[in-house]
Amino acid sequence: MKTDVAWMKNYLREYSIKPSTIRIKMLKYLMENKIHPTVDEIYHALLKDIPTLSKTSVYNTLDIFLKNGIVSLVTIEEKETRYDIDTSLHGHFKCESCGKVYDFHVNAENLKEEGIEDFDVLDKKIYYSGICEKCKNIKEE
Amino acid sequence: MKTDVAWMKNYLREYSIKPSTIRIKMLKYLMENKIHPTVDEIYHALLKDIPTLSKTSVYNTLDIFLKNGIVSLVTIEEKETRYDIDTSLHGHFKCESCGKVYDFHVNAENLKEEGIEDFDVLDKKIYYSGICEKCKNIKEE
DNA sequence: CTAAATGCAAACGGTTTGCAATGCT
DNA sequence: AGCATTGCAAACCGTTTGCATTTAG
């Protein structure tokens, strides 16, 4: 994956976001760590690289990313908001045992919705939860 | 809809929940107000009837309802948790204009998931958002 | 009488806000 | 210099917690 600085500066500009140090590093982190991180995770990860980083800046930057469609929100029954650099339609599965959030593909074109035919649907989210394969196997041991 | 006290006492017992004044009134409220209410909405609605009611009790009771499967959580990109007395699989549509949460029917059997074939899926949630028909018409006026 | 249910008040923690400091051109 | 970006500290608010009080069988 292309994640050099020049490429990311351009990427940000395509989304009408002025590239700044923090914005570039946050974009890089999100692209290289597609684990649907929380604000805290992003903050602590970047703190090693940017010792003066504040959580406020992480919030600010994520707000900008959100408004400009670079990231989307993931909120599966939890208080901490998570962020996803992949804004295309896909499902999220949260393992109740290990807490990990997995992506999965869905063929939403087969999904028929009844009752909202005349609504303007701007966003769709599909959240599953349960036990992932790894945790199932651990329990069986 | 049957919502007399005797019926609801029995309903709670079926879910292994001891009927108490607050539990019965909360169940009644949830059954008669399927608006996916927040804790605050439930609290203020019942306060008229139970002047000594505390939010703690609303939280406690909802926890019991949740654990016993009488209600399910609705968390569409918002901080306030909402509760749904309908625990069957259906979609939720949140209007970004008026904030109302609508239910809609989905034929999830047509939905193919790829990537989580070996996971134990215990819960599925489908959240849409956009502009509801009413708000669309208001804007057009 | 006893255990469960309810309520009060404080703490908690993620997020927001106002403003000051810093950086960039 | 002037404007955008970043950071600090406090406030905010929904939720949780510990414990005291009340209720019900």
Side-chain angles (χ1 to χ4, degrees), chain A residues 11-72:
Chain A
Y11 187 89
L12 288 169
R13 287 206 187 90
E14 279 173 22
Y15 282 89
S16 330
I17 298 168
K18 255 197 234 172
S20 74
T21 309
I22 289 180
R23 288 170 191 172
I24 291 166
K25 298 207 175 198
M26 265 186 59
L27 177 62
K28 186 173 161 68
Y29 174 79
L30 288 168
M31 291 204 147
E32 294 177 346
N33 299 276
K34 302 193 176 180
I35 55 169
H36 321 88
T38 62
V39 168
D40 207 58
E41 283 171 339
I42 299 169
Y43 171 69
H44 281 106
L46 294 189
L47 200 56
K48 295 165 194 158
D49 199 25
I50 318 168
T52 61
L53 184 66
S54 70
K55 267 197 186 173
T56 308
S57 297
V58 177
Y59 278 110
N60 286 340
T61 307
L62 285 169
D63 282 348
I64 291 168
F65 282 6
L66 256 184
K67 280 205 186 84
N68 291 277
I70 270 193
V71 296
S72 64

Side-chain angles (χ1 to χ4, degrees), chain A residues 13-136:
Chain A
R13 287 206 187 90
E14 279 173 22
Y15 282 89
S16 330
I17 298 168
K18 255 197 234 172
S20 74
T21 309
I22 289 180
R23 288 170 191 172
I24 291 166
K25 298 207 175 198
M26 265 186 59
L27 177 62
K28 186 173 161 68
Y29 174 79
L30 288 168
M31 291 204 147
E32 294 177 346
N33 299 276
K34 302 193 176 180
I35 55 169
H36 321 88
T38 62
V39 168
D40 207 58
E41 283 171 339
I42 299 169
Y43 171 69
H44 281 106
L46 294 189
L47 200 56
K48 295 165 194 158
D49 199 25
I50 318 168
T52 61
L53 184 66
S54 70
K55 267 197 186 173
T56 308
S57 297
V58 177
Y59 278 110
N60 286 340
T61 307
L62 285 169
D63 282 348
I64 291 168
F65 282 6
L66 256 184
K67 280 205 186 84
N68 291 277
I70 270 193
V71 296
S72 64
L73 283 179
V74 181
T75 49
I76 314 187
E77 287 181 29
E78 46 194 340
K79 294 132 209 183
E80 281 186 306
T81 311
R82 292 173 175 274
Y83 296 83
D84 194 344
I85 191 76
D86 181 357
T87 58
S88 68
L89 176 62
H90 61 278
H92 289 115
F93 177 97
K94 172 156 192 187
C95 177
E96 292 171 6
S97 177
C98 64
K100 196 175 161 189
V101 177
Y102 296 83
D103 289 331
F104 63 89
H105 179 263
V106 288
N107 62 338
E109 58 276 10
N110 290 359
L111 191 66
K112 291 276 176 301
E113 303 97 358
E114 293 164 28
I116 54 169
E117 287 81 1
D118 296 317
F119 291 21
D120 280 347
V121 178
L122 301 174
D123 192 37
K124 301 183 179 187
K125 291 188 188 304
I126 297 175
Y127 293 145
Y128 285 15
S129 59
I131 310 293
C132 75
E133 200 184 357
K134 274 187 195 165
C135 291
K136 268 171 68 181

